[in-house]
Amino acid sequence: MKAIASGQGRLPIEVNGEHLLCLSEHALLWPQERVLFVADVHLGKAASFRAAGVAMPGGHSAHDLERIAALLDEHQASRLVILGDLIHTRESYTTTLDHKFRQFRKRHRHVAMTLVRGNHDRHAGDPPAHWGLQLAAEPFALGPFTCLHEPLPTAPQASSGKQHG
């Protein structure tokens, strides 16, 4: 917490023997492999609300794509892993969103991008092929990590061996 409180916006952690950085911009960085992880982006959420008749201002998707683009640039990431819910609903796929994502993808054409499908992605359907995303079902293995959107069900607790009677 000290790193975040000091304004550095980074909290170093170690997971499975790998050094990671929790970033205040809602992302996780694996510096050694130059991998950026994000989750629950929900592109097109406002558009889906508007399609349902709810007044919502626009611009959220562009803002989120710019936030991710800035992180990719700042950390010179070679890979982006989206841990589910890139798209909010089927109605989120608008011409405007397609244009914005294509600009984002063009800017980062040399970055490998993987979408680990989350619950919203499964309902919304796969993004267009021209977005250039590798699609993966969970669990998705990457190095020493198991990449998921939803936590795995926990195994039942082992018995202590004592019989209760």
Side-chain angles (χ1 to χ4, degrees):
M1 294 299 227
K2 196 180 234 181
I4 303 254
S6 71
Q8 294 175 3
R10 302 169 185 196
L11 180 65
I13 61 171
E14 188 174 317
V15 178
N16 290 345
E18 294 291 330
H19 298 284
L20 305 173
L21 292 174
C22 296
L23 305 175
S24 61
E25 298 91 348
H26 308 284
L28 182 70
L29 181 68
W30 185 11
Q32 180 179 330
E33 296 298 322
R34 296 177 38 220
V35 177
L36 182 72
F37 296 92
V38 297
D40 292 299
V41 181
H42 289 275
L43 295 177
K45 187 172 184 175
S48 68
F49 275 80
R50 286 192 300 271
V54 178
M56 288 282 289
H60 299 282
S61 295
H63 177 267
D64 287 334
L65 287 172
E66 183 52 40
R67 174 181 55 86
I68 295 167
L71 288 169
L72 290 170
D73 292 341
E74 177 184 350
H75 299 287
Q76 299 177 342
S78 61
R79 183 168 201 167
L80 172 66
V81 178
I82 304 154
L83 300 169
D85 293 359
L86 174 64
I87 300 297
H88 188 66
T89 65
R90 191 171 304 278
E91 292 76 23
S92 300
Y93 287 114
T94 63
T95 304
T96 302
L97 179 60
D98 183 62
H99 177 72
K100 287 176 182 163
F101 198 90
R102 285 166 28 134
Q103 287 178 315
F104 167 79
R105 195 65 183 99
K106 184 177 180 181
R107 178 175 168 183
H108 299 286
R109 64 182 150 275
H110 301 297
V111 175
M113 295 186 186
T114 302
L115 169 60
V116 180
R117 291 182 188 101
N119 55 314
H120 280 259
D121 302 302
R122 288 187 294 274
H123 296 295
D126 290 338
H130 62 261
W131 283 16
L133 299 172
Q134 173 193 359
L135 303 175
E138 52 185 355
F140 172 70
L142 182 63
F145 304 114
T146 301
C147 301
L148 305 161
H149 177 67
E150 300 284 340
L152 288 173
T154 57
Q157 296 296 318
S159 168
S160 65
K162 295 181 181 178
Q163 294 291 327
H164 298 282

